[in-house]
């Protein structure tokens, strides 16, 4: 073995280079994105969701029929080139109603998620940030509320408040925010102790500024997952309530009311039930797998 | 002396999202009957993976033995099936893990956990196994063993759990005991007791021990020989005296310099090795330690050093032993205790290239 | 253990009291409720209500009486039907719902566990993917939709099962399946992640190092520990089965308490709504208590720690 002598001169450490090699740094979100993309089921869900949202926006314009116009001469028509998904017992076009229903279901889901987010971030943020007795009391309150069976409470509220879109969303969010508040509080507590918040504090930034600038962006990941998983839950609850006769009032078409109307006729006109039923399931499925995919992609324990 | 274990050029890697992690990269060592070999090295250097591979306990997949042999009593265990391994695990080779808090099943009685191995390997009846379990608990120094066998792990203290772990490991009189940092999670007085217990049991049962630790202080107490691991390779190996009094590898120097000792118990003096270990997904070119090595030579960044032999029992993998290399001085803390050992060769001998 | 149960019992009573109180006041503010003065009721019903609630008394007296009567297990008369009381409804409908619910719970637990364990043991293999897709589907398809599909295809189209009513065992299969589908999926997912978590624990490695076979390790070390979080799901499971029964019983024309409850909602039969809600809450809280006790039995760490998880 021949190695030239000059190779044997002392050169010493190159720590900075070692660091460079040992940490191929991807930004956090890029990393998340790559992992998410590898998850076939989640990607499928995302595509499905995109299609469903697209149809919710444009679907009602694709047919000349209006979702609320009765046509008693064309009752209970089978799906055909004229009425793609058939018609219901009042001769209304099921295709138009289905996408109108998609709008309402998705609206309810998103609205519920946003309200949960708003209350949850406020409640959890204040609770975690203030700490001490305030925290103790706020969280006790949330615990008590959380112990009440969810659907039973929602049903009671709907009975008391009367049916309607607004009361439905209200009823859903009355306990829905608790999860979000707990997550936000947990994040705030863990982030509160970290240095950059302390630094901001000593620099004289006030509480709301610190929350807005540092805490909330850092809690994005779990909040996002919770929101994506709240939406299908709200869509389910809407359908459930409609199905037991506590849903929206006509002529509004939601998937739940459509399914409810279609049930008595299942033997002879099954499409009236099946179209809304299939789309409820698909939408819930899409949100669920996207939410799961996000959670897995964001889980730092899997991060290597 | 009879060789009980011979590991040859062992290579293990893990398939992960970020690529394949080469956790063990060509490790060779052997172990005699009744001998204790210590493996030391930083966190992540591959000590646990090496030792668990000997029992084929690494999760496969993602883990995979990509090369080499593990001869146990002359028999290669790499190609063995799970069924065949079951006859070796617990009976021929046993293992004690680092954290006694998590290595016992929380919902199973201590006694039952000891009995399982006995029933499996010694065909004991339940009754006999229970009697033996009480004996074993007594042997590892747990008071009132008759009562303790019926308790659950959470009713034991940390030190007692580790004693129970030792009882489990020794239940079937294994020929080789692998202890993966058995005392790291315990406080100092308990550590000493556990070490004494292990030494005591070893002399009674004549088991060989592989003792993994990152605490060199413990090594001097228990081991006959020491292997120093870095980034999945053994970089220096020798008897305890050779490693403590005549270390040759800069990484060993670093470890020794960072070791608290009686004459050097002022923690501020401890020189930690700067930097972090390399990423084993793409091991660096040349010597893995080069970037952190204050004595690094130009060639270290280009070519991996070969293994040199310094005595019958002493090996080191560093270019510093090349005849052309400059003479360098080890750090003060290490130099203080350097001694001339009689067994050392006049000149380091090149073993084989590149490995 | 006795102390632990006592403590849980106390909590349960407090929650129950809160629920009873809340329903009582909710019903008083609902539009057209029996406590408003401008009601026009048939005289018999008026008399029933008066006898039970003392409608002329001030609200706190009514509240006190009401609490007392609930304690005596008397939920009062119906607001819509003169010869019916909530107690009648419960004793008539609940046994049916109970049978259906139990069948569904058994199905959900059995299949959920099997699916979850298989998925965990075959982690990242096709069995795992299949099981998990079944699980996501089970979670995504609401029970009442599952029910209509099962009814349409298996009963109406293929005629394998009876379409509706509740007479023979065959009548119970489809509703129980529909009711079990979502909780089964949850249990499968929970079992899987819990198994994976447990399998990555050091003590599994210890068991393996002893030379135990994969089968023994799975049965004796992994499943028992993996079951702990699944047991805690039994509370929400009961709640899910219970609320699920509202719709399932309606779809299959089963004369259970759930169907009666939905009818009372449609009829705005306030006193029935109130009574059945309280009854359901008792069931739920009792099942949560049972679950806690069961948990204490399987997890030795709880027994001795007197309520808290040991160490
Ligand atoms: N299941 C696994 N999947 C992927 N990588 C693994 C796995 N197990 C170990 N590794 C990698 O193998 C390398 C060696 O790990 P090992 O546990 O042997 O280190 P160690 O020397 O025992 O460290 P410590 O002192 O911390 O116990 C590490 O880089 C680790 O990330
Ligand atoms: S081979 Fe080079 S880099 Fe590696 S230890 Fe020896 S001198 Fe340092
Ligand atoms: Mg280790």
């Amino acid at each position: 073995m021949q190695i030239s002598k000059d190779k044997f001169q002392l050169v010493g450490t190159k720590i900075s280079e070692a660091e460079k090699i040992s940490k191929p740094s991807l930004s956090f979100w890029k990393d998340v994105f790559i992992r998410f993309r590898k998850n076939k089921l989640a990607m499928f869900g995302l595509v499905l969701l995109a299609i469903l949202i697209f149809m919710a926006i444009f679907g009602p314009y694709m047919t000349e029929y209006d979702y609320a116009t009765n046509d008693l001469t064309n009752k209970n028509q089978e799906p055909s080139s004229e009425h793609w998904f058939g018609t219901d017992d009042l001769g209304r076009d099921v295709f138009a109603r289905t996408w109108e229903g998609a709008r309402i279901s998705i609206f309810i889901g998103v609205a519920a998620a946003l309200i949960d987010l708003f209350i949850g971030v406020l409640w959890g943020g204040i609770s975690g940030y203030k700490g001490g007795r305030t925290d103790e009391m706020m969280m006790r309150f949330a615990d008590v509320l959380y112990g009440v069976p969810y659907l039973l409470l929602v049903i009671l509220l709907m009975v008391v408040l009367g049916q309607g879109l607004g009361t439905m969303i209200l009823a859903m969010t009355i306990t829905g925010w608790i999860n979000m508040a707990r997550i936000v509080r947990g994040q705030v507590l863990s982030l509160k102790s970290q240095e950059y918040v302390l630094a901001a504090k000593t620099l004289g930034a006030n509480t709301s500024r610190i929350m807005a600038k540092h805490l909330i962006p850092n809690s994005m990941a779990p909040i996002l997952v919770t929101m994506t998983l709240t939406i299908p839950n709200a869509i389910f609850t809407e359908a459930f309530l409609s199905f037991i006769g506590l849903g929206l009032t006509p002529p509004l078409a939601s998937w739940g009311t459509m399914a409810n109307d279609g049930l008595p006729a299942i033997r002879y006109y099954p499409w009236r039930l099946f179209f809304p039923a299939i789309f409820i399931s698909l939408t819930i499925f899409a949100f669920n797998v996207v939410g799961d995919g996000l959670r897995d992609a964001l889980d730092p324990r899997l991060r290597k | 002396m009879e060789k009980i274990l011979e590991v040859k050029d062992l290579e293990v890697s893990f398939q992960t999202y970020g690529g394949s992690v080469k956790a063990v990269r060509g490790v060779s060592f052997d172990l005699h009957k009744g001998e204790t070999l210590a493996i030391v090295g930083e966190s992540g250097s591959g000590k646990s993976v090496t030792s668990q591979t000997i029992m084929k306990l690494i999760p496969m997949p993602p883990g995979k033995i990509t090369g080499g042999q593990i001869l146990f009593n002359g028999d290669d265990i790499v190609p063995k099936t799970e069924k065949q391994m079951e006859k070796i695990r617990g009976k021929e080779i046993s293992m004690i893990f680092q954290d006694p808090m998590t290595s016992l099943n929380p919902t199973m009685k201590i006694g039952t956990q000891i009995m399982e191995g006995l029933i499996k390997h010694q065909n004991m009846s339940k009754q006999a196994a229970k009697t033996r379990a009480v004996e074993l608990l007594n042997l590892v120094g747990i008071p009132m063993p008759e009562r303790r066998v019926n308790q659950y792990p959470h009713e034991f203290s940390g030190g007692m759990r580790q004693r129970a772990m030792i009882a489990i490991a020794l239940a079937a009189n294994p020929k080789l005991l692998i202890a993966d940092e058995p005392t790291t999670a315990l406080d100092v007085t308990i550590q000493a007791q556990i070490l004494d217990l292990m030494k005591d049991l070893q002399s009674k049962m004549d088991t060989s021990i592989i003792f993994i630790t990152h605490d060199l202080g413990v090594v001097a107490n228990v081991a006959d020989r020491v292997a120093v691991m870095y980034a999945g390779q053994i970089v220096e190996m020798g008897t305890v005296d050779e490693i403590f009094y005549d270390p040759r590898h800069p990484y060993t120097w670093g470890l020794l310099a960072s070791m608290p000792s009686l004459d050097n118990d002022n923690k501020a003096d401890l020189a930690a090795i700067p930097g972090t270990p390399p990423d084993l997904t793409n091991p660096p070119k040349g010597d893995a330690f080069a970037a952190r090595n204050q004595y690094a030579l130009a060639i270290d960044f280009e070519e991996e050093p070969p293994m040199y032999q310094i005595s019958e029992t002493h090996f080191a993998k560093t270019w510093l032993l090349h005849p052309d290399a400059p003479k360098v001085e080890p750090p003060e803390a290490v130099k203080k205790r350097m001694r001339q050992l009689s067994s050392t060769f006049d000149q380091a001998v090149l073993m084989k290239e590149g490995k | 253990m006795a102390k632990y149960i006592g403590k849980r019992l106390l909590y349960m009573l407090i929650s129950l009291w809160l629920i009873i109180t809340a329903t009582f006041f909710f019903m008083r503010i609902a539009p057209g409720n029996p406590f408003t003065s401008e009601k026009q009721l048939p005289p018999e019903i008026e008399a029933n209500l008066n006898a039970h609630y003392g409608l002329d008394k001030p609200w706190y007296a009514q509240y006190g009486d009401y609490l007392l009567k609930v304690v005596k297990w008397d939920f009062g008369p119906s607001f819509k039907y003169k010869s019916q009381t909530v107690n009648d409804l419960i004793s008539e409908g609940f046994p049916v719902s109970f049978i259906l619910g139990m069948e569904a719970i058994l199905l959900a637990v059995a299949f959920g566990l099997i699916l979850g364990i298989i998925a965990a043991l075959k982690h990242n293999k096709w069995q795992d993917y299949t099981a998990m897709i079944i699980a996501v589907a089970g979670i995504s398809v609401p029970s009442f939709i599952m029910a209509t599909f099962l009814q349409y295809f298996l009963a109406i189209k293929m005629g394998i099962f009876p379409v509706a009513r509740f007479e023979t065992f065959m009548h119970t299969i489809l509703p129980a399946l529909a009711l079990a589908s979502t909780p089964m999926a949850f249990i499968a997912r929970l079992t899987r992640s819990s198994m994976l978590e447990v399998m990555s624990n050091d003590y599994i490695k210890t068991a393996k190092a002893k030379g135990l076979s994969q089968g023994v390790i799975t049965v004796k070390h992994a499943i028992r520990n993996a079951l702990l979080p699944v047991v805690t799901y039994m509370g929400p499971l009961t709640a899910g089965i219970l609320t699920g029964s509202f719709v399932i019983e309606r779809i299959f024309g089963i004369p259970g308490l759930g169907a009666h409850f939905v009818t009372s909602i449609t009829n705005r039969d306030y006193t029935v709504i109130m009574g059945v809600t309280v009854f359901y809450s008792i069931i739920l809280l009792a099942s949560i208590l049972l679950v806690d006790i069961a948990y204490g039995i399987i997890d030795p760490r709880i027994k001795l720690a007197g309520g808290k998880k040991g160490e």
Side-chain angles (χ1 to χ4, degrees), chain A residues 158-162, chain C residues 26-34 36 79 268 270:
Chain A
M158 294 295 290
V159 169
V160 174
L161 302 174
Chain C
F26 269 169
M27 286 308 134
R28 296 182 69 89
I29 54 169
N33 71 70
T36 42
F79 176 46
R268 296 295 187 271
Y270 290 107

Short mmCIF file of all heavy atoms in Angstrom, two decimals, chain A residues 158-162, chain C residues 26-34 36 79 268 270:
data_model
loop_
_atom_site.label_atom_id
_atom_site.label_comp_id
_atom_site.label_asym_id
_atom_site.label_seq_id
_atom_site.Cartn_x
_atom_site.Cartn_y
_atom_site.Cartn_z
N MET A 158 -81.55 20.61 20.27
CA MET A 158 -82.36 20.82 19.07
C MET A 158 -83.85 20.89 19.44
O MET A 158 -84.61 21.65 18.87
CB MET A 158 -82.14 19.70 18.04
CG MET A 158 -80.75 19.67 17.45
SD MET A 158 -80.35 21.11 16.47
CE MET A 158 -81.42 20.85 15.07
N VAL A 159 -84.24 20.04 20.40
CA VAL A 159 -85.64 20.06 20.85
C VAL A 159 -85.95 21.41 21.49
O VAL A 159 -86.98 22.02 21.23
CB VAL A 159 -85.90 18.90 21.84
CG1 VAL A 159 -87.25 19.07 22.51
CG2 VAL A 159 -85.82 17.58 21.12
N VAL A 160 -85.02 21.86 22.32
CA VAL A 160 -85.26 23.10 23.05
C VAL A 160 -85.19 24.32 22.14
O VAL A 160 -86.02 25.21 22.21
CB VAL A 160 -84.24 23.24 24.21
CG1 VAL A 160 -84.37 24.57 24.89
CG2 VAL A 160 -84.43 22.11 25.20
N LEU A 161 -84.19 24.33 21.27
CA LEU A 161 -83.96 25.54 20.47
C LEU A 161 -84.76 25.57 19.19
O LEU A 161 -84.88 26.63 18.55
CB LEU A 161 -82.47 25.66 20.11
CG LEU A 161 -81.50 25.71 21.30
CD1 LEU A 161 -80.07 25.67 20.81
CD2 LEU A 161 -81.74 26.98 22.11
N GLY A 162 -85.29 24.45 18.78
CA GLY A 162 -86.03 24.42 17.52
C GLY A 162 -85.11 24.12 16.35
O GLY A 162 -83.90 24.34 16.42
N PHE C 26 -83.99 22.53 30.85
CA PHE C 26 -84.12 22.59 29.38
C PHE C 26 -85.59 22.49 28.98
O PHE C 26 -86.09 23.26 28.16
CB PHE C 26 -83.38 21.42 28.74
CG PHE C 26 -81.96 21.74 28.39
CD1 PHE C 26 -81.08 20.74 28.01
CD2 PHE C 26 -81.49 23.05 28.44
CE1 PHE C 26 -79.76 21.02 27.70
CE2 PHE C 26 -80.17 23.34 28.12
CZ PHE C 26 -79.32 22.32 27.76
N MET C 27 -86.26 21.50 29.59
CA MET C 27 -87.64 21.26 29.17
C MET C 27 -88.55 22.42 29.52
O MET C 27 -89.55 22.67 28.85
CB MET C 27 -88.16 19.97 29.84
CG MET C 27 -87.58 18.73 29.22
SD MET C 27 -87.79 18.72 27.44
CE MET C 27 -86.19 18.23 26.88
N ARG C 28 -88.18 23.15 30.57
CA ARG C 28 -89.02 24.30 30.94
C ARG C 28 -88.89 25.45 29.96
O ARG C 28 -89.78 26.29 29.87
CB ARG C 28 -88.64 24.79 32.33
CG ARG C 28 -88.92 23.79 33.42
CD ARG C 28 -88.57 24.36 34.77
NE ARG C 28 -89.49 25.42 35.13
CZ ARG C 28 -90.62 25.21 35.79
NH1 ARG C 28 -90.94 23.99 36.14
NH2 ARG C 28 -91.42 26.21 36.08
N ILE C 29 -87.77 25.52 29.24
CA ILE C 29 -87.63 26.63 28.30
C ILE C 29 -87.98 26.24 26.86
O ILE C 29 -88.04 27.08 25.98
CB ILE C 29 -86.21 27.26 28.33
CG1 ILE C 29 -85.14 26.18 28.10
CG2 ILE C 29 -85.96 28.00 29.62
CD1 ILE C 29 -83.77 26.78 27.85
N ALA C 30 -88.24 24.93 26.63
CA ALA C 30 -88.58 24.52 25.28
C ALA C 30 -89.95 25.10 24.89
O ALA C 30 -90.83 25.20 25.74
CB ALA C 30 -88.63 23.00 25.19
N PRO C 31 -90.11 25.49 23.62
CA PRO C 31 -91.38 26.07 23.21
C PRO C 31 -92.52 25.05 23.32
O PRO C 31 -92.35 23.89 22.96
CB PRO C 31 -91.14 26.46 21.74
CG PRO C 31 -89.94 25.67 21.31
CD PRO C 31 -89.12 25.44 22.53
N GLY C 32 -93.64 25.49 23.88
CA GLY C 32 -94.81 24.61 23.98
C GLY C 32 -94.67 23.51 25.01
O GLY C 32 -95.28 22.45 24.88
N ASN C 33 -93.85 23.72 26.05
CA ASN C 33 -93.63 22.66 27.03
C ASN C 33 -94.77 22.60 28.03
O ASN C 33 -95.57 23.54 28.15
CB ASN C 33 -92.29 22.86 27.73
CG ASN C 33 -92.33 24.05 28.66
OD1 ASN C 33 -92.97 24.03 29.70
ND2 ASN C 33 -91.68 25.13 28.25
N PRO C 34 -94.89 21.51 28.77
CA PRO C 34 -96.04 21.33 29.67
C PRO C 34 -96.05 22.29 30.84
O PRO C 34 -97.07 22.40 31.52
CB PRO C 34 -95.87 19.89 30.16
CG PRO C 34 -94.46 19.53 29.90
CD PRO C 34 -94.03 20.33 28.73
N THR C 36 -95.55 25.58 30.66
CA THR C 36 -96.02 26.93 30.33
C THR C 36 -97.50 27.03 30.67
O THR C 36 -98.23 26.04 30.69
CB THR C 36 -95.81 27.23 28.83
OG1 THR C 36 -96.18 26.08 28.11
CG2 THR C 36 -94.38 27.58 28.54
N PHE C 79 -96.74 13.20 27.98
CA PHE C 79 -97.35 14.50 27.74
C PHE C 79 -98.34 14.39 26.59
O PHE C 79 -99.14 15.27 26.35
CB PHE C 79 -96.19 15.46 27.44
CG PHE C 79 -96.59 16.86 27.06
CD1 PHE C 79 -97.54 17.56 27.79
CD2 PHE C 79 -95.97 17.49 25.98
CE1 PHE C 79 -97.87 18.86 27.44
CE2 PHE C 79 -96.31 18.78 25.64
CZ PHE C 79 -97.26 19.48 26.37
N ARG C 268 -92.83 15.83 20.11
CA ARG C 268 -92.54 16.80 21.17
C ARG C 268 -93.23 16.38 22.47
O ARG C 268 -93.90 17.17 23.12
CB ARG C 268 -93.00 18.21 20.76
CG ARG C 268 -92.25 18.78 19.56
CD ARG C 268 -90.77 18.99 19.91
NE ARG C 268 -90.05 19.69 18.85
CZ ARG C 268 -89.45 19.09 17.82
NH1 ARG C 268 -89.47 17.77 17.72
NH2 ARG C 268 -88.81 19.80 16.91
N TYR C 270 -92.62 16.08 25.67
CA TYR C 270 -91.52 16.57 26.49
C TYR C 270 -91.23 15.72 27.71
O TYR C 270 -90.08 15.46 28.06
CB TYR C 270 -91.78 18.01 26.92
CG TYR C 270 -91.67 18.96 25.76
CD1 TYR C 270 -92.80 19.54 25.21
CD2 TYR C 270 -90.43 19.24 25.20
CE1 TYR C 270 -92.69 20.38 24.11
CE2 TYR C 270 -90.32 20.08 24.11
CZ TYR C 270 -91.45 20.66 23.57
OH TYR C 270 -91.33 21.47 22.51
#
